[in-house]
Amino acid sequence: MKVRTRSDLEKLSAEGRATLYPSRLKISVGMATCGLATGAGAVYNALCDEATARGLDLALVATGCIGYCQQEPLVDVRTPGRGRVLYARVTPDRARDLIAALVEGELPTEGALAAIPEEESLTGSEPAQGFPLLDELPFYTSQHKVILRNSGLIDPVRLEEYVARGGYQGLARALELAPQAVVDEVTCSGLRGRGGGGFPTGRKWQICRDAPGEPKYIICNGDEGDPGAYMDRTVLESDPYSIIEGMVIGGYAVGANEGYIYVRDEYPLAVERVTHAVARAEEAGLLGEDIFGSGFDFAIDVVRGAGAFVCGEETALIASIEGGMGEPRPKPPYPAIHGLWGQPTIINNVKTWASVSAILARGADWYAGIGVEGNTGTVVFSLVGKVANTGLVEVPLGLTLREMIQNIGGGGLDGKAVKAVQTGGPSGGCLPARLFHLPIDYETLTEAGSIMGSGGMVVMDEDTCMVDVARYFLKFTMDESCGKCTPCREGTRYMHSILTRIIEGEGTPDDLADLEQVATWVKGAALCGLGQTAPNPVLSTLRYFRDEYEAHVSERRCPAGVCRALIRLAIQPDLCTGCGICKRECPAGAIRGEKKEPHVIDPDLCTRCRLCHDVCPEGAIEIVR
Amino acid sequence: MPLIPQPAPLAGGALLARLHAINAEHGYLPEQELRSAADELGVPLSQLYSTASFYASFGFEPRGRHTIQVCQGTACYIRGGDKILEKLVAVLGVKPGETTDDRLFTLETVYCVGSCSMSPVIRVDGDTYGRLRADRLPRILRKYRPAEEQEA
């Protein structure tokens, strides 16, 4: 069926509701990459086999990511009339027990994380009784889902389920407005680029709309390259239609009929899902020719990247689509005027497009009411690293870092004190715990020496060495520098060599001044965003954690016990039981000892990787700083 | 009118798609395939080569039967991804970028596979293994070794 009218859309929606809220038992397994990485595939098979063996009638579906990755694999059980319950950390054995209980008509409390409140208007049912509500868990209370509105709740393959949860209402409304009115709507919402730059989206669209030249293009930047971040992957995998809908709206608004979704090569499932969604949307008349019977045409191609971080920079990404090396070029002219093949082009991040479809559906005023003035709406962070609750978190702008890390994240891992948080990936900086009262918004994070970025948020504790972290990021930018401009190519290499010297215990106080000077030069002189922001990890750690640098330089000491040249490992004989685990696991074969006798480490063979320290069940291995 | 006739520009993403197709079939980019692709697409071989060599996803040497990617993204790094790598180097006897003598495994590092909440993570071919500890590695590798080798 081709969707021509709103009533056609309603028919699709009814089909979606039938599978979203079936009259029989339904079990959904979170099978985005995170779920699969922790064994969701085996859980799915166990559920399937056990249900078949016991003759249990159910709908078993794979869904996307609901965000609480710490608790994966997650299984969502919906019993008609009894609501939905989410089970956490499910193993194949637990999956079989779950089926056994369901056969008996029971909803087990063991392993249950929470009840998912259903959409009252759609199903009219009450939440499952006897379980905490999902929205009331500390991980979820401060969250506000706009971009992730469907993630983990729909089958990402099924267009009908996207429509049943309000999908394509935004496009339907946009096509009833004049294109300029659509641009105005986005402008009034206050939406800013969610890729990290924070440029007002409506203004970018206006520039492109007003720019002379035909054809114009729309690009979705899904080249999520920041290490430690996976927001875009999740949206691409879990709710691809929300992006596609946003792009069609953008095309209509600026007068473009062609678009590209550029997805990072490291995300095979995202490529697959989004490619399927493009084909399905075309089949339904929601993409391609005469969309919605409006006479407006818009086509989308999916381009798979090839493992180059710099392609996340918009001009490099454009060069990559054109078939060349992904090298950036100087701006201006900006892509909104001179983009793909020299034509006016809108390039926005995955999360920006997913926000656009919601803004058009619910109105600019609704969106502008979320967040704070000048920083409206929501942002998605991947909260990872040394934090108790890892996962994808969507919050209104203006929330403080403390609320994010302590309340949602549940504080440090294993009860350790959080020392710093890193936002913005290799372009961002490390902020110390004493600044956690700061609100999360574009300007505040920039002033503090970091950036909002695309949404990476890596928590660090007392066992993280900030000098090592700075060197890690410089190694990254050095490896990923495209080499086109000298300040970035040579500057990152130079800074990396100084940092390496420092962590090897050969730094001098002059090195710190030198590092600061070169960092400042690179920031000012590099060609593109990658180079201009590459010094941020260095400058922010020098600003907030100078004592750690000085300990390395003056005392030849790594306070966190990380830098290999400055530590040694020792087995405490009174604690060692001689179990032999460390001896077995040591990659260097540096541990000797008889069974049940205290072991010893040969310092000449030991590479100080600290693996023995991690695996020792007795805590007998000491890091001597 | 240009003095020398120019070929029509390629469709967006066409060149990358072609390189991916060759890579998927062979596991690397054999020279002969690059030559035929250059002819068919109407682009100079030098352009194809300069593009292909720019990107980390493409290589010019045959690979092992299985590719192990050790994630070195930020979350993996601070949660011990370097130790996982060190252990794999010791177990396989190859450095990142190298292939084992029996051509079974190619070891690589990758900056982030986007499974940061499960760090540290490795990916073997298409399968991602999260919440790793170095002591789980031998069992994972065993799944990819041929049956006869396991009995030996």
Side-chain angles (χ1 to χ4, degrees):
Chain A
M1 184 187 78
K2 292 262 184 198
V3 175
R4 294 261 166 262
T5 61
R6 275 181 185 268
S7 75
D8 293 343
L9 200 61
E10 180 43 44
K11 277 181 218 153
L12 267 193
S13 173
E15 285 175 43
R17 282 197 298 275
T19 56
L20 264 182
Y21 314 110
S23 54
R24 57 181 179 156
L25 176 69
K26 176 181 172 182
I27 299 185
S28 316
V29 184
M31 288 176 73
T33 301
C34 297
L36 292 172
T38 47
V43 169
Y44 184 92
N45 292 340
L47 288 167
C48 186
D49 296 347
E50 191 70 13
T52 311
R54 290 175 177 268
L56 181 64
D57 176 46
L58 88 168
L60 181 61
V61 295
T63 180
C65 170
I66 200 165
Y68 207 164
C69 309
Q70 181 72 29
Q71 302 289 351
E72 295 272 11
L74 285 161
V75 171
D76 164 11
V77 176
R78 179 179 186 277
T79 324
R82 291 174 66 188
R84 292 165 77 165
V85 180
L86 193 62
Y87 291 90
R89 295 230 174 200
V90 181
T91 59
D93 279 344
R94 294 255 311 276
R96 282 185 279 270
D97 293 346
L98 183 60
I99 295 288
L102 290 167
V103 167
E104 301 295 321
E106 288 169 25
L107 270 175
T109 47
E110 198 196 331
L113 186 66
I116 304 179
E118 295 255 8
E119 298 83 346
E120 297 287 327
S121 57
L122 290 171
T123 66
S125 72
E126 294 287 315
Q129 298 300 304
F131 304 92
L133 285 178
L134 190 69
D135 305 356
E136 290 168 3
L137 297 183
F139 184 74
Y140 282 105
T141 41
S142 315
Q143 293 205 43
H144 188 127
K145 300 217 173 187
V146 174
I147 296 162
L148 300 175
R149 57 194 179 275
N150 296 318
S151 287
L153 297 177
I154 62 170
D155 178 348
V157 170
R158 285 188 47 83
L159 171 65
E160 294 82 353
E161 294 193 359
Y162 174 67
V163 173
R165 285 183 52 89
Y168 284 98
Q169 295 297 328
L171 178 62
R173 181 168 161 250
L175 293 174
E176 289 160 6
L177 298 171
Q180 181 58 52
V182 177
V183 176
D184 294 343
E185 187 86 8
V186 173
T187 305
C188 293
S189 74
L191 176 65
R192 297 169 65 174
R194 291 294 185 251
F199 190 80
T201 306
R203 199 189 309 164
K204 188 191 270 189
W205 288 21
Q206 190 68 59
I207 294 168
C208 183
R209 182 172 160 70
D210 296 342
E214 294 284 334
K216 294 176 180 174
Y217 296 100
I218 298 289
I219 297 175
C220 169
N221 184 345
D223 193 49
E224 179 175 60
D226 284 2
Y230 61 101
M231 305 72 53
D232 298 355
R233 170 182 68 70
T234 299
V235 183
L236 289 160
E237 286 179 356
S238 302
D239 197 17
Y241 298 104
S242 66
I243 303 159
I244 293 170
E245 185 188 352
M247 291 174 70
V248 180
I249 293 169
Y252 176 73
V254 305
N257 302 103
E258 240 181 290
Y260 291 91
I261 304 179
Y262 189 99
V263 185
R264 192 169 176 248
D265 188 35
E266 289 82 348
Y267 293 171
L269 186 60
V271 173
E272 182 188 317
R273 288 269 164 83
V274 85
T275 306
H276 171 273
V278 164
R280 179 69 187 99
E282 271 173 19
E283 190 183 278
L286 294 166
L287 196 60
E289 289 179 6
D290 192 19
I291 293 169
F292 241 123
S294 66
F296 174 65
D297 303 338
F298 192 78
I300 290 180
D301 271 324
V302 178
V303 179
R304 187 170 147 203
F309 171 71
V310 69
C311 288
E313 198 281 336
E314 55 187 7
T315 60
L317 189 149
I318 286 169
S320 182
I321 293 180
E322 288 172 353
M325 292 187 285
E327 284 185 342
R329 62 157 177 80
K331 294 186 283 192
Y334 289 91
I337 292 168
H338 186 95
L340 189 59
W341 291 295
Q343 299 298 117
T345 302
I346 291 293
I347 175 163
N348 277 133
N349 173 265
V350 165
K351 299 179 292 296
T352 312
W353 291 118
S355 301
V356 163
S357 41
I359 289 167
L360 264 291
R362 302 190 62 175
D365 292 343
W366 162 77
Y367 192 80
I370 306 169
V372 291
E373 180 140 21
N375 280 275
T376 60
T378 59
V379 272
V380 183
F381 284 100
S382 64
L383 184 61
V384 296
K386 304 283 192 71
V387 62
N389 296 327
T390 59
L392 267 200
V393 175
E394 182 168 7
V395 294
L397 279 159
L399 196 84
T400 65
L401 286 165
R402 180 166 291 117
E403 285 172 289
M404 184 70 150
I405 293 157
Q406 297 300 339
N407 301 358
I408 298 176
L413 187 65
D414 304 328
K416 290 200 171 166
V418 173
K419 178 163 78 177
V421 65
Q422 207 279 345
T423 65
S427 306
C430 297
L431 302 178
R434 66 185 154 84
L435 293 183
F436 284 1
H437 62 279
L438 293 178
I440 299 167
D441 65 56
Y442 289 95
E443 286 72 26
T444 304
L445 292 183
T446 305
E447 277 163 31
S450 188
I451 60 164
M452 174 78 86
S454 180
M457 186 172 277
V458 185
V459 177
M460 298 168 179
D461 67 11
E462 58 201 66
D463 295 335
T464 314
C465 170
M466 303 314 284
V467 185
D468 183 59
V469 165
R471 189 195 60 122
Y472 166 81
F473 280 116
L474 260 293
K475 167 93 167 59
F476 178 87
T477 36
M478 179 181 77
D479 286 349
E480 294 294 336
S481 171
C482 76
K484 183 171 179 173
C485 78
T486 312
C488 173
R489 184 185 64 239
E490 299 302 327
T492 53
R493 195 197 308 247
Y494 189 74
M495 287 187 281
H496 180 260
S497 71
I498 296 178
L499 287 163
T500 304
R501 206 152 60 225
I502 295 173
I503 70 167
E504 285 176 354
E506 287 159 13
T508 65
D510 287 346
D511 278 340
L512 298 190
D514 209 11
L515 193 58
E516 204 151 22
Q517 181 64 75
V518 174
T520 312
W521 283 337
V522 172
K523 199 176 168 87
L527 168 64
C528 82
L530 188 156
Q532 288 156 11
T533 57
N536 283 347
V538 175
L539 290 169
S540 64
T541 46
L542 273 171
R543 178 167 162 192
Y544 296 118
F545 300 96
R546 202 171 187 101
D547 54 331
E548 290 196 31
Y549 280 88
E550 280 165 359
H552 283 71
V553 168
S554 314
E555 303 165 37
R556 307 276 182 251
R557 186 172 66 84
C558 173
V562 170
C563 295
R564 294 188 180 197
L566 306 178
I567 58 168
R568 69 185 171 83
L569 290 138
I571 299 178
Q572 295 164 276
D574 48 326
L575 294 177
C576 178
T577 61
C579 71
I581 293 177
C582 59
K583 187 171 146 185
R584 190 181 72 216
E585 295 303 330
C586 176
I591 300 179
R592 282 176 287 116
E594 296 300 321
K595 203 89 188 146
K596 300 198 176 164
E597 295 290 330
H599 286 35
V600 288
I601 299 175
D602 181 341
D604 294 333
L605 294 177
C606 176
T607 63
R608 298 167 180 90
C609 74
R610 293 164 291 134
L611 184 58
C612 53
H613 172 261
D614 296 354
V615 297
C616 177
E618 308 298 330
I621 300 178
E622 189 195 358
I623 299 174
V624 186
R625 281 147 219 220
Chain B
M1 244 330 246
L3 288 176
I4 302 170
Q6 299 291 309
L10 292 172
L15 198 144
L16 277 182
R18 182 61 189 262
L19 293 174
H20 275 303
I22 300 172
N23 199 46
E25 194 184 334
H26 299 274
Y28 73 110
L29 304 178
E31 185 184 334
Q32 197 47 50
E33 292 280 353
L34 284 180
R35 286 186 184 279
S36 17
D39 286 346
E40 281 170 42
L41 295 171
V43 296
L45 182 62
S46 59
Q47 188 196 328
L48 209 59
Y49 184 79
S50 81
T51 302
S53 58
F54 181 83
Y55 295 98
S57 300
F58 305 124
F60 302 92
E61 299 291 331
R63 307 163 70 87
R65 191 175 334 153
H66 304 290
T67 299
I68 304 174
Q69 293 181 312
V70 186
C71 185
Q72 299 289 296
T74 320
C76 286
Y77 183 74
I78 70 166
R79 278 173 77 157
D82 54 335
K83 295 171 216 171
I84 302 285
L85 179 63
E86 190 152 342
K87 182 78 182 178
L88 277 170
V89 167
V91 169
L92 298 172
V94 290
K95 295 200 189 77
E98 295 177 351
T99 300
T100 52
D101 289 340
D102 58 5
R103 306 217 69 78
L104 195 56
F105 294 111
T106 297
L107 182 66
E108 284 181 349
T109 59
V110 59
Y111 277 123
C112 202
V113 296
S115 302
C116 319
S117 54
M118 310 299 174
S119 59
V121 171
I122 65 167
R123 186 182 277 171
V124 186
D125 302 334
D127 303 327
T128 309
Y129 298 89
R131 296 187 188 134
L132 265 188
R133 266 177 50 162
D135 49 357
R136 268 183 60 205
L137 292 170
R139 216 172 55 195
I140 293 171
L141 294 185
R142 211 173 300 145
K143 286 171 63 178
Y144 298 90
R145 294 192 192 277
E148 62 268 30
E149 196 178 311
Q150 292 184 17
E151 283 159 23

